[in-house]
């Protein structure tokens, strides 16, 4: 009798999860397996952020399009018409909008993800889940806005009758790079924010500075040749220029700048790895200090 | 491989650093410092072991109570077991999915509808999407919110909100359920629902860890209990004995160097202008009583500290059930109309009961200092938790216990065939 009973429990225990809780000493345990196990939560949190963002707004999700559109109109008027900013031979509205899409996505994703842990401190002190999911969901929710903004861009392309080149295949790569950059920077800032609320005040300033350090309102060609390498260390310069070239290269014949793309990819990867390491290091103390 | 145990805790330790400078730690620091001052002081110590060398094993299907004073490490232990915070030392092994009722309503978003929140909250608690979908109707039924399932929860009444939140948590169906002080929230009916659910879970052969101050509930639901004291396991065994250990040890104050019915302020604060420092229960000769039984003579001596003189002040003494029902709430004024002046420094007063009229059970002692009818100078509704032992007041061999009735008063049955007997004083 007993033997059959224990044999039965063997079969049942095949599905029973086994968990070991120990102090983590190294950063080895990034716990990506856990993140995978909680992928549905990532989906639900992203979905929540998207649902909630435009709740009780009269214009709803159109804000995702209106933000970059309004900025484009302002930039076109002041920088394009009045300041006669060069735009590498592109119509200035297209030139600006192609950069404002990734820029709006990046700056929004950075802002929301850097605050993501602090605003959900109630969750963090009460329930376990891989904390990495929180900033990641903020970035993914930003991507949804990006898609809306991109829909308008397609309209602009048609309006300007911009021909496509084969380089458009690189466009998704730049989107992925922008998302990874936002994830890396956002994750690290989110972790720092748990400990130092100063981050909340630094981020808006950082974003403002970052925009002027990126080719959003001006082309990279405006930067003197000998400072290009320094400029390329800002991954957004490679990403934004690359996105412009991949989408609008048919108009002005611009080619993809492999140098700045490689620099952007390298810096982004390095930042992501460092952020993951630092996040993991600080994660164990989140519930205690938040 | 069959599972050898549900939870095994080995040499578990958790250290908190005190006095850290970062602003984000304010609340935590306050909490810890409050506890730290309560322990008396060793100047210059800036770390605190909330858990120290904790060891125990829980078998699958076991229902274990965890008891201990505030700050004894119960919440920290649960936080480590549910992976919210990492231990500093030691190791925990868990077989099975853990769920906890302390997360009721966590992650609900007011803007989202009931339906959306069920999915979101379920995912937060670790449920799979198809699992939630399968149990969706059951959850809605249990919560009784079927009509409002597509209404944003910010329009819900607080009762509806709580029921929905509990319904999701209750349908998680983990192998291991962790319950922390559910009885502290919600109304009596909700608390009863929580307790019933726990009973169901326990009967279904699942493992339950139950943290509570409700000693009758612990005794009723858990065959075994673990007593934590200052982060260490003080006792691990039959819950009946554990409750005794907890009451005599943690509350009676054996760790404060005295035995018997003496209760010190659980959270003294030297910055307060007025504060009750201790309550003692004395016998007729003024000696500390080792225990208090129904119908016995009892003199409650309150001691308090006053920073300044206060004329026409008042003192209150109360006895509450664990559910918060006041059985006694008497004051020098207005109830007894005794005029009282506080002296700067130490003061004391005694309140005498010739027959303590409360049935056997567990109660909270409440104390207060007042300017009668004007303001509270100090108030603590849960100054101490104490036991009233059964007393055979009616000389019948059947003491009155709180599960049947709360008050014990002299009474007679009158008819031709009954012998009459008054309550005897002892």
């Amino acid at each position: 009798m007993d033997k059959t009973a224990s044999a039965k429990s063997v079969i049942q225990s095949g599905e029973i999860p086994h968990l070991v809780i120990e102090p983590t000493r190294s950063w080895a345990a990034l716990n990506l397996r856990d993140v995978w196990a909680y992928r549905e939560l990532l989906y639900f949190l992203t979905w929540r952020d998207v649902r909630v963002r435009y709740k009780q707004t009269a214009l709803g999700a159109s804000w995702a399009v209106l933000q970059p559109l309004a900025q484009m109109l302002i930039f076109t008027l002041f920088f394009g018409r009045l300041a006669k900013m060069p735009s590498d031979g592109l119509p200035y509205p297209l030139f600006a909008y192609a950069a404002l899409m990734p820029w709006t996505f990046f700056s929004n994703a950075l802002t929301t993800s850097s605050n993501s842990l602090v605003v959900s401190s109630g969750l963090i002190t009460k329930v376990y889940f891989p904390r990495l999911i929180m900033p990641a969901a903020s970035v993914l929710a930003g991507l949804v806005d990006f898609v809306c903004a991109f829909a308008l861009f397609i309209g602009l392309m048609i309006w300007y009758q911009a021909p496509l080149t084969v380089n458009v295949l690189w466009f998704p790569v730049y989107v992925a790079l922008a998302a990874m950059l936002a994830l890396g920077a956002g994750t690290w800032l989110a972790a720092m924010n748990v400990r130092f609320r100063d981050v909340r005040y630094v981020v808006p300033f950082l974003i403002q500075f970052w925009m002027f350090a990126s080719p959003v309102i001006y082309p990279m060609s405006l930067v003197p040749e000998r400072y290009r390498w320094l400029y390329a260390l800002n991954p957004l310069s490679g990403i934004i220029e690359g996105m412009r070239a991949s989408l609008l290269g048919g108009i002005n014949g611009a080619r993809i700048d492999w140098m700045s793309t490689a620099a952007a990819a390298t810096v982004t990867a390095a930042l992501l790895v460092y952020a993951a390491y630092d996040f993991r290091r600080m994660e164990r103390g989140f519930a205690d200090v938040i | 491989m069959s599972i050898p145990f549900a939870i095994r805790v080995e040499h578990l330790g958790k250290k908190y650093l005190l006095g850290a400078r970062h602003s984000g730690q304010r609340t935590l620091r306050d909490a810890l410092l409050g506890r730290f001052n309560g322990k008396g002081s060793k100047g210059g110590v800036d770390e605190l072991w909330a858990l120290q060398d904790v060891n125990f094993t829980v078998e699958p299907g076991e229902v274990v109570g965890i008891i201990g004073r505030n700050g004894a490490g119960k919440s920290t232990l649960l936080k480590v077991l549910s992976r919210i915070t990492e231990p500093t030392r030691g190791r925990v092994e868990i077989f099975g999915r853990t769920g906890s009722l302390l997360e009721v309503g966590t992650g609900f978003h007011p803007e989202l509808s009931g339906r959306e929140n069920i999915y979101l909250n379920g995912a937060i608690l670790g449920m799979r999407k198809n699992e939630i979908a399968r149990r969706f109707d059951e959850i809605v039924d249990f919560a009784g919110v079927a009509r409002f399932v597509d209404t944003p929860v910010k329009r819900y009444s607080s009762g509806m909100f709580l029921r929905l939140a509990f319904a999701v948590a209750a349908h998680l169906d983990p192998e291991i359920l962790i319950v922390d002080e559910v009885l502290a929230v919600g109304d009596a009916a909700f608390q009863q629902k929580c307790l019933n659910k726990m009973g169901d879970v326990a009967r279904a052969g699942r493992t339950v860890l139950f943290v509570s101050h409700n000693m009758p509930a612990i005794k009723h639901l858990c065959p075994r209990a673990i007593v934590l004291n200052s982060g260490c396991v003080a006792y691990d065994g039959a819950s009946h004995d554990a409750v005794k250990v907890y009451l005599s040890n943690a509350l009676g104050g054996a760790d404060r160097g005295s035995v018997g019915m003496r209760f010190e302020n659980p959270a003294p604060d030297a910055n307060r202008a007025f504060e009750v420092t201790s309550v003692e229960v004395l016998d007729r000769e003024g000696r500390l009583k080792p225990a208090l039984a129904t119908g016995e003579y009892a003199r409650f001596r309150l001691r308090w500290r006053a920073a300044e003189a206060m004329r026409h002040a008042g003192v209150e003494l109360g006895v509450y059930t664990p559910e918060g029902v006041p059985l006694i709430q008497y004051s020098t004024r207005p109830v007894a109309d005794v005029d009282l002046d506080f002296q700067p420094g130490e003061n004391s007063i005694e309140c005498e009961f010739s027959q303590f009229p409360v049935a056997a059970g567990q109660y909270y002692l409440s104390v207060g200092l007042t300017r009668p009818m004007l303001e509270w100078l100090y108030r603590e509704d849960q100054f101490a938790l104490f036991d009233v032992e059964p007393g055979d007041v009616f000389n019948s061999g059947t003491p009155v216990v709180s599960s049947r009735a709360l008050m014990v008063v002299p009474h007679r049955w009158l008819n031709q065939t009954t012998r009459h007997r008054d309550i005897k004083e002892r």
Side-chain angles (χ1 to χ4, degrees), chain B residues 252-309:
Chain B
D255 58 339
R256 297 190 184 110
S258 67
V259 185
M261 300 286 285
R262 176 184 164 79
F263 309 105
E264 290 196 24
N265 192 317
D269 181 355
N271 294 326
R272 273 197 287 252
F274 298 92
E275 182 176 74
V276 174
T277 48
S278 73
V279 177
E280 295 159 318
V281 186
L282 310 174
D283 64 14
R284 211 180 282 277
E285 281 74 41
R287 290 175 309 217
L288 199 63
K289 282 173 77 68
L292 173 63
T294 310
E296 280 187 338
Y297 175 92
R299 229 156 75 196
F300 287 76
R301 180 193 284 159
L302 277 77
R303 295 178 189 274
W304 70 96
R305 182 172 46 70
E308 55 189 276

Side-chain angles (χ1 to χ4, degrees), chain A residues 6 9-10 13-25 31 34 36-41 43-45 47-48 51-52 55-56 122-129 131 194-198 280 283-290, chain B residues 1-3 5 14 16 22-25 27-28 79-98 100 102-103 106-107 109 111-113 116 119-120 123-130 132 154-155 175:
Chain A
S6 69
S9 76
V10 171
S13 70
E15 289 171 17
I16 290 181
H18 178 215
L19 173 74
V20 177
I21 304 170
E22 278 180 316
T24 45
R25 287 180 187 83
N31 245 338
D34 240 19
W36 176 246
Y38 276 81
R39 61 193 180 277
E40 283 189 349
L41 180 60
Y43 163 75
F44 274 116
L45 286 177
W47 168 83
R48 176 196 71 175
R51 291 281 316 205
V52 168
K55 276 257 164 153
Q56 257 189 26
L123 274 184
I124 295 204
T125 53
K126 284 207 185 108
V127 54
Y128 171 80
F129 54 88
R131 311 308 192 197
V194 170
R195 199 163 294 186
F196 306 103
R197 294 295 143 86
D198 314 50
R280 180 59 204 152
E283 182 181 15
R284 65 190 80 155
F286 282 170
D288 300 334
V289 296
I290 200 162
Chain B
M1 180 190 73
S2 83
I3 47 172
F5 52 79
K14 171 74 184 178
Y16 283 112
H22 312 313
S23 57
Q25 300 186 338
T27 45
L28 172 76
K79 278 188 174 176
V80 170
L81 290 182
S82 45
R83 284 208 285 173
I84 293 160
T85 184
E86 262 192 17
T88 316
R89 277 189 199 153
R91 181 185 161 91
V92 178
E93 269 188 85
I94 296 176
F95 280 101
R97 188 161 68 153
T98 334
S100 56
L102 73 159
E103 295 139 14
T106 306
H109 198 289
E111 298 283 352
L112 296 177
S113 72
E116 291 165 334
Y119 278 95
L120 178 65
I124 286 171
L125 296 181
M127 284 163 99
R128 284 285 152 85
K129 196 177 165 190
N130 52 22
I132 305 168
K154 67 178 174 181
R155 311 236 184 274
E175 281 95 19

